[in-house]
Amino acid sequence: MELNEFFSRLAAIYDRTQPFDSDCQRFINNAPQLLAKYVPAALEMKSGGGKGVPTLTPWVGFFDPGETDTPQEGIYVVYILSADKEVLNLLLGQ
């Protein structure tokens, strides 16, 4: 799947009112498999649609295991879809 296709589809189907076993949550959780061709061998991709409750801003992040493997610490690159689903941000997280 191409990056633009993935994020366009995510914006079209993501609904934070849906439970974690919904199609939109399964889609964001499958990002590492769907986008594997974009991840260099040394990096790890993770994605999320929330913990406990679905988030307003689903994300797909790229982590260097030598630096961090979690968005709670270290430096990583992350795509975050805005709450209104109109903007896809590419950020350097810290």
Side-chain angles (χ1 to χ4, degrees):
M1 177 172 275
E2 300 299 321
L3 281 172
N4 64 335
E5 179 185 0
F6 175 85
F7 287 110
S8 292
R9 181 166 176 213
L10 179 62
I13 69 168
Y14 189 77
D15 181 349
R16 76 170 301 268
T17 66
Q18 296 297 306
F20 284 115
D21 62 351
S22 67
D23 287 341
C24 64
Q25 286 288 341
R26 280 193 293 276
F27 184 71
I28 188 68
N29 290 331
N30 285 330
Q33 293 79 30
L34 296 171
L35 302 175
K37 69 181 180 180
Y38 296 105
V39 184
L43 299 182
E44 181 179 342
M45 180 192 294
K46 294 184 179 184
S47 58
K51 288 192 177 198
V53 296
T55 184
L56 287 170
T57 56
W59 58 273
V60 175
F62 300 86
F63 302 86
D64 177 348
E67 170 68 25
T68 187
D69 62 356
T70 175
Q72 282 78 34
E73 60 186 49
I75 297 173
Y76 56 94
V77 174
V78 62
Y79 285 101
I80 301 177
L81 186 63
S82 66
D84 65 6
K85 303 188 292 181
E86 295 292 322
V87 178
L88 179 65
N89 297 287
L90 176 60
L91 305 168
L92 180 61
Q94 181 177 0

